[in-house]
Amino acid sequence: MIDTIYKVLLTIINKENQGYISPEEFNLIAINVQNEIFSDYFKDANEFKNLQNRGFTNRGYANLPLQNREDIGAFAATATGTVTAGLVDLPSDMYVIEDQGVTTSAGILIDEVERNAIAVMARSEVAPTELYPVYEWFGSTLKVYPTTITSVNFRYIRKPLNPKWTYTIVANKEMYDPSNASFQDFELDSSEFYNIILKMLTYFGINLREPEVVKIAEIMKDKDNVKN
Amino acid sequence: MPVNITPSADYYENEDLHGSYQYITLEDIVINYMMSTDDDDFASNVPRHKVLFQARRAFRELYFDAIQEVKVISLELSDQLTVTLPPNFVNYVRISWLGDDNLLRPMASNGYTNIARDYLQGDNYEILFDDDGCALQDDVQGLAELAASGDGSMVNSYTFCGDAFNPNKNMANVYSNGSYVVDKNNGLIKFGSEVFGKTVVLEYISDGLYTGCEGSAEVDLKIHKFAEDSVYNWIYWKLIERRKNVPANAKVLARKDWFNSRRICKRRMNTIRPAELRQVFKGSSRWFKA
C-alpha cells in the first residue's frame, strides 16, 4: 500500500510541477499520519460505544463498534513481565493496556486501582491478596500488590510500526525496493487508503507552501466528514 | 471458575468436593458480576475491589439473616467458669452443657447479671492508677475457688436485687440447667458455677468470611446458590446507592430487588416439604401426660 500512496501523492502534487516529495520527507510524514489515524481509533471507540448505548448502531456492516474493534484488534499483542520488588516493566511497544488486560501467571485478574486509593485500600478488608491482586501506575512500570506476585501477563494494544518506503537508486532515480530489510508498509487497514492520502496531502501542502493543495485537501476532508 | 463438572468417580473420592455443588464461591460471584455488567450499566467502570467489598457485605447480611449455617463446638469449662469465644464467632444460637448421660442441657441467658469491673481504690476511696496512668483493676485470677464453690454465682458478676416483685418466672425452668452471660467486649462466655467441670456445647453463627484455621481459605469462601441472586442484587444496589448521576427511582428499584431476592432466598433456605409438614401435623393432636 505504501508504494501506491507515494505514487498517488507524487501524481497529485507534481501534476503541474508544483513540487517534489523526497522519500525521506514522505517517510516522516507517513509516520505522523499513521499515528494520527491510529490514535483516532480510540476516540472513535468511545464515540461508537456511546452511540451503541443510545441504540444508534445496527448489526453487520452497520456495527460501528465492531468495525472499530477490528481496527484496534489488528494491533493486539500479549507479553509476559517479571515482577521485581513489586515492579514490572511495561512492554516497550505498548500503546495502551486492554481493560482487565493484566493477569497473573495463573490467569487471575490484576485490577487497576487509582493511586490515591491504594493507601486506604491496603488497610481495608479488601486489601490486595494473591486472589484479588491490584496494580497502580508507577512511572514506566506497574506496581503490583501483593509483592508475592512474581510474573504477570499483559494483553495490550501495541504501537504501529513506523512505515518506511525503501528504495534503491537506479539511473539517479529512486526505485521502490520492498526487499530492503528496513522496509515497512502502513499497518493500517487498506480501507484507510483514502484517509491517509487526504491527511498526507494536508501535511505536504503545508510543507510545500501550496495553499491550494491544502485547501483542496481540507475541502475533501470536510466533504468526507459531512458524509459521515 | 468456569462451570467444570467433576467426574462422579472423582467427586466421591475427594471429600472436599462433597456437597460443593450447592455453593458458589465469593470469587465466582465477583467475576460473574463484573462479567455481566454492560457499558451502559449504572455500575459499570467499577473497580473489582469495590465489587468485592460489597460482595463481602452481602455475605454477612445473608449469613446473619437467611443462611443461618450453625456451627457447633464443644469445650471443657475452665476453672474460671469461662469459655473464650471462637475466632469466627458472631452470635450464639444455643449454649448447652453435656451431661454424663450424653444428653445436652440447654442453658439460659442470664440477663439479670451484670459483668462488672472492679477498680482498686485507696483508703480515701480514690481510684488507684499504675505508672502509665491506667486504673488498676482487681485480678480475677485466683477466684477459681469461689467458682468451684457451686453456689451458682459467676466470677466478677453480680445480680440485681428487687426481683421479689418481678420474679423471672419464665426462666425458672430453664435456669435449672444453669445460666451464662456473654461478655462480648472480652470475648468470653461466663457460666454459673452449676456447670463447674462440665463440657459446654456452643452453637453459633459466623459471617461466612472467616479465613483462619477454623474457616475456609479465601478461595473457598462460599455461599449457597439460593443466595446467589441476592448477593448480585445487594452489590448492584450498594454500588449505585450513593452515586449522584443515578436517578432515584433506579435506586429504589434496586433496593426493592434486594429485599425481594432476600425474601425468596429465605423461603428457599427454609424449604417446606409436604412430608415434613404432615409429620408435624400428626404430632400436633397427640395427648401428653404431665
Side-chain angles (χ1 to χ4, degrees):
Chain A
M1 184 161 81
I2 192 169
D3 186 47
T4 317
I5 288 173
Y6 188 35
K7 281 175 180 163
V8 169
L9 280 174
L10 286 177
T11 307
I12 295 171
I13 292 170
N14 289 338
K15 198 169 62 178
E16 294 178 4
N17 291 327
Q18 286 180 328
Y20 172 74
I21 309 162
S22 71
E24 287 72 25
E25 288 171 325
F26 172 82
N27 286 338
L28 277 176
I29 300 299
I31 294 169
N32 210 34
V33 166
Q34 180 170 262
N35 288 341
E36 193 179 325
I37 293 172
F38 178 71
S39 61
D40 281 346
Y41 287 160
F42 299 89
K43 292 174 196 160
D44 292 344
N46 187 47
E47 198 176 306
F48 293 157
K49 279 272 170 97
N50 286 338
L51 285 174
Q52 188 180 41
N53 292 340
R54 292 203 297 268
F56 292 156
T57 56
N58 296 290
R59 297 172 65 186
Y61 303 122
N63 193 338
L64 293 176
L66 173 66
Q67 287 174 22
N68 179 256
R69 281 200 297 278
E70 284 174 4
D71 290 336
I72 294 175
F75 298 90
T78 56
T80 304
T82 305
V83 186
T84 310
L87 296 174
V88 57
D89 289 327
L90 294 164
S92 56
D93 61 343
M94 192 198 81
Y95 182 78
V96 66
I97 294 182
E98 294 275 10
D99 185 26
Q100 301 179 0
V102 185
T103 54
T104 65
S105 50
I108 294 169
L109 169 69
I110 307 178
D111 202 24
E112 194 260 342
V113 173
E114 289 181 41
R115 285 179 55 75
N116 60 0
I118 283 285
V120 176
M121 184 191 171
R123 294 182 64 82
S124 73
E125 71 169 286
V126 290
T129 62
E130 287 196 20
L131 193 59
Y132 303 105
V134 297
Y135 74 82
E136 62 169 332
W137 291 94
F138 198 77
S140 61
T141 63
L142 298 184
K143 204 167 196 177
V144 181
Y145 302 90
T147 51
T148 47
I149 290 169
T150 54
S151 174
V152 298
N153 296 329
F154 292 104
R155 288 166 54 84
Y156 65 100
I157 300 299
R158 66 172 173 80
K159 296 170 191 163
L161 299 172
N162 291 337
K164 190 169 185 183
W165 188 86
T166 50
Y167 59 94
T168 49
I169 304 290
V170 178
N172 287 329
K173 249 187 133 180
E174 296 100 352
M175 296 296 290
Y176 179 53
D177 179 15
S179 63
N180 190 303
S182 61
F183 168 78
Q184 178 60 53
D185 204 345
F186 281 98
E187 286 207 288
L188 301 175
D189 188 74
S190 57
S191 62
E192 297 288 0
F193 185 90
Y194 184 63
N195 264 342
I196 295 170
I197 297 279
L198 286 184
K199 284 184 185 290
M200 292 194 85
L201 273 176
T202 311
Y203 281 110
F204 284 122
I206 293 164
N207 187 35
L208 294 168
R209 298 174 194 282
E210 284 293 343
E212 279 182 21
V213 178
V214 179
K215 207 172 170 183
I216 290 164
E218 291 297 339
I219 289 168
M220 289 171 81
K221 273 202 288 189
D222 285 346
K223 275 186 185 171
D224 201 38
N225 286 340
V226 169
K227 270 190 222 166
N228 287 335
Chain B
M1 287 284 190
V3 177
N4 190 11
I5 303 295
T6 313
S8 296
D10 296 345
Y11 170 82
Y12 285 110
E13 278 176 18
N14 188 349
E15 281 186 13
D16 292 342
L17 295 176
H18 293 178
S20 59
Y21 194 69
Q22 354 169 30
Y23 293 98
I24 181 166
T25 64
L26 177 64
E27 184 192 11
D28 285 348
I29 280 179
V30 172
I31 291 171
N32 290 348
Y33 182 85
M34 292 183 72
M35 175 275 302
S36 64
T37 54
D38 290 318
D39 286 326
D40 59 345
D41 195 319
F42 284 129
S44 65
N45 287 331
V46 173
R48 184 185 56 192
H49 67 272
K50 293 196 176 175
V51 176
L52 175 62
F53 175 64
Q54 296 303 346
R56 291 174 66 92
R57 288 188 62 193
F59 263 50
R60 288 204 181 96
E61 291 294 324
L62 291 164
Y63 263 94
F64 298 157
D65 284 349
I67 307 293
Q68 299 259 348
E69 287 188 2
V70 178
K71 298 175 186 299
V72 186
I73 57 164
S74 67
L75 296 160
E76 280 184 33
L77 208 55
S78 72
D79 288 346
Q80 301 296 318
L81 292 178
T82 59
V83 160
T84 307
L85 296 175
N88 54 348
F89 175 91
V90 172
N91 202 0
Y92 66 90
V93 176
R94 186 169 46 191
I95 299 173
S96 320
W97 58 273
L98 190 62
D100 297 334
D101 51 4
N102 273 337
L103 293 177
L104 289 172
R105 270 81 171 172
M107 301 174 72
S109 169
N110 187 349
Y112 289 85
T113 302
N114 183 29
I115 298 167
R117 284 186 174 184
D118 195 3
Y119 286 136
L120 294 184
Q121 290 172 285
D123 294 341
N124 297 321
Y125 309 107
E126 77 280 11
I127 294 174
L128 301 178
F129 297 94
D130 63 10
D131 294 341
D132 297 327
C134 303
L136 290 169
Q137 293 180 41
D138 190 11
D139 181 12
V140 295
Q141 304 297 322
L143 293 179
E145 298 80 13
L146 173 64
S149 63
D151 65 354
S153 62
M154 293 188 193
V155 175
N156 243 31
S157 302
Y158 310 103
T159 303
F160 290 108
C161 67
D163 282 355
F165 298 102
N166 184 21
N168 182 20
K169 288 183 175 169
N170 294 336
M171 306 292 283
N173 292 330
V174 192
Y175 260 57
S176 60
N177 285 338
S179 63
Y180 56 83
V181 171
V182 178
D183 183 356
K184 288 180 183 170
N185 282 333
N186 293 314
L188 295 171
I189 305 174
K190 298 189 172 186
F191 291 87
S193 55
E194 312 93 332
V195 288
F196 181 78
K198 304 281 186 191
T199 297
V200 292
V201 175
L202 170 62
E203 295 165 75
Y204 66 100
I205 55 167
S206 188
D207 63 356
L209 294 170
Y210 187 73
T211 51
C213 307
E214 291 81 1
S216 309
E218 189 176 29
V219 72
D220 293 327
L221 294 177
K222 62 194 179 197
I223 198 164
H224 199 279
K225 281 179 178 167
F226 284 164
E228 184 182 357
D229 198 45
S230 306
V231 179
Y232 296 139
N233 283 328
W234 169 279
I235 295 171
Y236 176 67
W237 172 40
K238 285 295 168 183
L239 287 178
I240 67 167
E241 190 185 22
R242 284 179 284 177
R243 295 185 82 152
K244 281 193 285 190
N245 60 347
V246 178
N249 60 342
K251 294 178 185 177
V252 172
L253 282 175
R255 184 173 175 273
K256 279 185 179 173
D257 279 347
W258 147 252
F259 279 109
N260 195 37
S261 61
R262 190 185 64 166
R263 182 183 57 78
I264 293 169
C265 167
K266 272 185 176 178
R267 197 198 65 204
R268 285 176 174 166
M269 294 302 296
N270 295 305
T271 310
I272 298 173
R273 296 178 180 86
E276 289 175 7
L277 207 58
R278 278 197 298 274
Q279 201 176 349
V280 173
F281 286 150
K282 275 182 188 173
S284 67
S285 59
R286 190 169 297 161
W287 285 76
F288 288 94
K289 285 185 180 177

